[in-house]
Amino acid sequence: MITATKYYKERFGHKMYKAAISLPVTCPNRDGTKGVGGCAFCSAQGSGEFASSCKQKVREQIDDAIKKLAGKAPEGTGYIAYFQSYTSTYCSADYLLRSLEEAMEHPLVEALSVATRPDCLPEDILDVLGKAASRFPLFVELGLQTSDDGTAEGFGRGYETSVYDSAVKALKERNINVITHIIFGLPGETEDMMIQSVRHAVRCGTDGLKFTCLYILKGTRYGTLYEQGKIDVLGREEYFDIVKRALDEAGDDVVIHRLTGDGPKSLLIAPMWTADKRQVINYINRRFKDLL
Ligand code: SF4
């Protein structure tokens, strides 16, 4: 297994931290284009609960994020400008280009990472991303979550897995590094279905994977279903057993960017084992010590 830490060290020569940026864009699954209310697990703040205010300039957001990381990031750390919340390419190509350029001009930023949906990559946006990738290290993070179209319909993803397949192909044709997000524990999924999602992403040519367990957050459709006792979450052992299988499936060529996520504590309903970050990190270090 290649961890992101090892990968960054080899590629950039040192540790890299992510400075989260939030652009003032929404998501087609919220504004009515594909759906309203978002995916069943997504809180109203999108996936960018930790990002600075999107009203600030990109440069100011990067400065703020770096200040917040000051105690954690050692001297000589590099930063990845991480366009995180909602759907970062759900905007005009000109606006995306200006935003990426502002980040590239920041003296401490050494790479860009753009999180988006695979159905928000029209030709002009792909061209902007392709041009940026030819000048600067660029990652595009795609929220696949599952390769099973039935599961995806259940949480209201709003696109079919074939759209992801085409997006990966188009990004790879432009030499863009693709990271795929997968959620374990989606309602109705067996362990084999979760592993199948990993297999699918690897076969499509993803360069990296990010795993997370399903978080149940306040104010989401899954929050309501959980409180009604209609859905459940994975336990810690159960989740990491699946992660272990996923790592075996990913093999040695795919970079593992995350073994589990970090849900917003103020909104978290379940699973509560994820709330104690220190304990989760200790557990990961113990259980995966030979791989990290
Ligand atoms: S696509 Fe992403 S931002 Fe949009 S509703 Fe789904 S999880 Fe939230």
Side-chain angles (χ1 to χ4, degrees):
M1 164 176 123
I2 321 167
T3 61
T5 310
K6 275 187 210 157
Y7 169 79
Y8 292 144
K9 190 91 202 285
E10 270 169 33
R11 182 161 178 191
F12 299 98
H14 48 66
K15 274 197 162 198
M16 297 286 279
Y17 277 83
K18 279 185 162 174
I21 297 161
S22 183
L23 295 181
V25 294
T26 177
C27 163
N29 217 7
R30 288 195 167 271
D31 71 358
T33 305
K34 287 285 172 74
V36 284
C39 301
F41 49 79
C42 182
S43 72
Q45 292 95 326
S47 48
E49 280 89 2
F50 307 116
S52 305
S53 160
C54 61
K55 288 186 189 119
Q56 285 177 293
K57 285 188 169 7
V58 166
R59 165 141 199 156
E60 288 166 4
Q61 292 192 49
I62 296 170
D63 284 337
D64 279 0
I66 291 176
K67 259 186 233 151
K68 280 183 200 143
L69 289 164
K72 211 169 133 191
E75 195 71 19
T77 293
Y79 291 92
I80 301 170
Y82 181 30
F83 293 81
Q84 181 187 28
S85 72
Y86 286 120
T87 303
S88 304
T89 61
Y90 196 44
C91 56
S92 73
D94 282 350
Y95 178 69
L96 180 66
L97 179 63
R98 281 201 307 279
S99 304
L100 296 180
E101 283 186 334
E102 213 181 315
M104 284 189 262
E105 281 159 15
H106 193 288
L108 296 178
V109 169
E110 294 181 35
L112 308 172
S113 197
V114 177
T116 192
R117 290 166 57 94
D119 60 348
C120 290
L121 292 168
E123 213 53 34
D124 55 350
I125 292 282
L126 284 166
D127 285 346
V128 165
L129 293 171
K131 279 181 197 144
S134 67
R135 294 165 49 196
F136 214 72
L138 172 75
F139 303 87
V140 169
E141 306 198 17
L142 298 177
L144 173 66
Q145 325 307 2
T146 176
S147 62
D148 187 275
D149 280 332
T151 307
E153 206 181 328
F155 69 76
R157 188 175 65 182
Y159 69 83
E160 291 185 352
T161 297
S162 57
V163 175
Y164 162 84
D165 303 353
S166 307
V168 175
K169 189 166 176 281
L171 291 166
K172 301 292 297 171
E173 280 166 2
R174 290 162 176 83
N175 293 319
I176 295 169
N177 190 299
V178 178
I179 300 171
T180 302
H181 293 213
I182 292 175
I183 297 179
F184 296 144
L186 287 164
E189 289 225 321
T190 62
E191 197 176 312
D192 284 345
M193 289 164 82
M194 300 174 212
I195 298 303
Q196 178 51 35
S197 295
V198 177
R199 196 172 295 142
H200 186 92
V202 172
R203 278 200 194 134
C204 281
T206 194
D207 300 284
L209 287 166
K210 266 189 177 179
F211 305 129
T212 190
C213 66
L214 175 68
Y215 294 111
I216 305 292
L217 302 180
K218 288 177 196 159
T220 63
R221 292 202 296 289
Y222 276 172
T224 308
L225 291 177
Y226 182 83
E227 279 164 352
Q228 291 169 349
K230 291 183 179 157
I231 59 171
D232 207 353
V233 290
L234 297 172
R236 188 180 68 175
E237 302 294 319
E238 204 180 357
Y239 174 72
F240 284 106
D241 285 349
I242 298 163
V243 168
K244 174 70 183 68
R245 274 188 70 188
L247 295 178
D248 293 342
E249 197 64 48
D252 292 331
D253 295 328
V254 175
V255 178
I256 305 299
H257 287 263
R258 190 173 71 188
L259 294 185
T260 187
D262 191 6
K265 264 196 200 162
S266 59
L267 299 177
L268 185 69
I269 299 174
M272 286 319 287
W273 61 265
T274 63
D276 192 336
K277 205 175 163 187
R278 186 182 293 266
Q279 270 205 24
V280 173
I281 291 171
N282 288 342
Y283 177 90
I284 289 174
N285 287 338
R286 267 198 319 276
R287 178 149 185 192
F288 297 99
K289 65 175 181 299
D290 297 337
L291 298 173
L292 296 172

